[in-house]
Every structure is written in structure tokens, then in C-alpha cells.
Amino acid sequence: MISCKRPACAALALALIAWAAPTSSLAASAAAAKLRKVAIAEDGNEFANFTQWKDVSAFLDRMAAEHQFDRAALESLFNQVRYVESTVRLIKPAPPGKPKNWKAYRARFIDPVRIRAGVEFWETHAQALAQAEEKYGVPAEIIVGIIGVETVYGRNTGNFRVVDALTTLAFDYPQTPNRDARMHFFRGELENTLLYARDAGIDPFSLFGSYAGAIGWPQFMPGSIRRYAVDFDGDGRIDLRNSPVDAIGSVANFLVEHGWKSGEPVVFPATIAATESTRAWEMFLGQGLEAKYRLEELQAAGVQSNPGTPPEILFGLVDLQNGDAPTEYWLGAGNFFAITKYNRSFFYAMSVIDLGREVRRARGR
């Protein structure tokens, strides 16, 4: 049997139907109409016959063996899964050679609309934010910054069926150097989606999220929901789609589980004392998402910091490239790198910090 995934394959099958029977044949017309209906769903996504894919079949076998899912029920579910071409397009990395631009990135998230929405969110959920800060030691402005960057406080939580998006990426990730690792990741998230839906007693197809499968106000991946989400509103269930209070507690818990330390700083501005003959500071760039250098080491290599930068904690050198303009440098403490575990990007972490600060300032006016 031919497994069609692309519109072109469906078109080929239509042509074969037309060739095999007279164009006036009612049977041929009915068959062609039926194929069109099967090939393309109403939302523009494609039926892919995923259960006929060897790797998908092996995945279903494993889910039945390891997690005691009913194999026939899984096959019935995956017969309804659609291939989402746009997830493949959106997940592709940016073309090489395009310079990074921190100011342009920042402008996408630090804007009047998001700041006003952040003030409203903080005012509405001030009690929950204060409770999260007391319990977890994560400042309210950091939690507000994350939820604001992720979904504009619940306004943009995504309209992709999570099972569709994750299945597409788990078994047909675009050709990139890290393709195998990324497919392994998304298969794990697909597994967690099915387990989460079963545990919560919900229909997997009721879960909508981003093109990469992130769910709810804080855009947790399914695995993060199962590991880090908490019932912070005390209603007996975890619901990141409909409970902003659960989202607040879950974001704080996620950060603590990824190294956030109560009372420690986040980031400090830095400058580089660079000369043609002394570029020792460059050895601190690209050293991973971790604070592991003493301030005196960085200073000895030409990294200058504010007088108030504490010498007793560890830092990492953060470079925020600005296209053709000069790069900004910062010293990230451990809490800065805890934020990067949410999204592995210096730009992301700094936008969270800046948005939270701007919302706090606007709220205090």
C-alpha cells in the first residue's frame, strides 16, 4: 500500500483514478472525492496513515508493552493523527549567516501591550505571585516575565493539536545535523502526552499548544507538566490550560528544580577591556548554560563589572549580539542560567528579566 503524506502524493493517486476509469464514471468521481477528503483535513493538515509507518508502529508496540496501553486503541487514535507541514517549517533553524540582533529580539517582547497585560496579570494574581515567591523564592517579576514572554498572559497558547505536532516532529523532523536527537526528544514528549492524558482522564486530541507541542499559560512541554507542574490553586488537579494560578506555581517550581536559589542575584552588566594583544576574555564565551567562573578569573581576562557585583558567587559570560552594532555583555549568575533551562537562549532569559522589570516599574507608577 502506498502511504501518502504530501499533497503531491494525493494528486498522483487522483490522477491514477482518473486514468483507470472513464472521466464520466460516477464511481471514479466518487472515489476521487473520497480521496481528497481523506488526504487533506478541514484545517489544512494532512492525513498521513501514520500507523503504516514502521517507526510509528514500533512506538505503539512499545507504549503497549511498557505502559500497558491497549494496542488497538492506540492504533485507532493514531489513525486520526494528522501530519502538520507547518510544524516542520517552523522548527527549522534560521538560515546560516544571518546575524543575531538582541535589540530586535527584545523589541518583540518588551512592548506597551505586553507590559500593560503584565500589570493587569500581576494585579489580578498578586496573592498567588506573593505565595509563590514565599514558597519557592522566585521573585514575582521573573514569573510574570516568563508567562508574558511565553503567551502574553494566556492570550496566545497555540492552536496546534499537540498529538499532531509531536507525531510529525517525532517521526519526520527536518534534515538537520541533530535530527536523530531531536526526533528522540519529540518521541519522548509524545509518550509523555499519552501518559499525561491518560493520568488526567482527558482526550489527547483536546490538547492544543504551540507548533512544538508546548501547552497552556506557561507553555510547558508534556514531560515538564508531568515532572514539574503543581496544583497551586488547591482544586485537586493540575490545569495549566485554564488555571493561571497553577501556571504561577508551576513556573516557580520548574525554576527551583533547575537550580534557582532564593535570594541570589540574576545578572549584572559587564564591559570588555579588549586590546589587539589581549583577548583572553574570549575563552569564557560559548561555555554552556552554567555559571562556573569566579569573578576574579573574569576580571583578570579583561571582563569589567559594576562595583556592586558580588565576588563570592560564580558567573558565566553572556554575550548579546546586536547585528552590526556592538555586542552587549553581562555576567549571568546561577539564577540567570536557571531561566535558560526554560528556553536555551541568552536572548530569551534577558527578555524575561527585562519584561518582568518593566512590568514591575509600570505597576509601581
Side-chain angles (χ1 to χ4, degrees), residues 28 49 129 131 133 174 223 241 302 324 337 342 361:
N49 295 322
L129 287 162
Q131 290 172 342
E133 187 165 348
R241 295 180 291 167
D324 296 331
F337 291 100
Y342 210 105
R361 288 172 185 153

Side-chain angles (χ1 to χ4, degrees), residues 57-70:
S57 182
F59 174 81
L60 301 186
D61 288 341
R62 186 173 66 80
M63 293 298 294
E66 294 184 11
H67 301 295
Q68 292 73 56
F69 279 90
D70 180 89

Side-chain angles (χ1 to χ4, degrees), residues 260-275:
W260 185 278
K261 290 186 171 51
S262 178
E264 290 197 0
V266 182
V267 70
F268 295 89
T271 56
I272 303 296
T275 66

Side-chain angles (χ1 to χ4, degrees), residues 50-62 71 171:
F50 273 118
T51 56
Q52 297 180 25
W53 293 27
K54 181 180 177 181
D55 288 346
V56 175
S57 182
F59 174 81
L60 301 186
D61 288 341
R62 186 173 66 80
R71 180 62 167 76
F171 298 101

Side-chain angles (χ1 to χ4, degrees), residues 140-184:
E141 67 185 70
I142 297 297
I143 300 172
V144 168
I146 285 178
I147 296 176
V149 168
E150 290 292 342
T151 63
V152 197
Y153 309 101
R155 297 182 185 182
N156 302 326
T157 58
N159 57 5
F160 291 83
R161 283 201 318 189
V162 169
V163 174
D164 293 342
L166 291 177
T167 302
T168 301
L169 296 174
F171 298 101
D172 196 33
Y173 196 86
Q175 293 292 337
T176 58
N178 63 343
R179 183 174 189 260
D180 289 344
R182 298 303 289 161
M183 286 201 298
H184 177 76

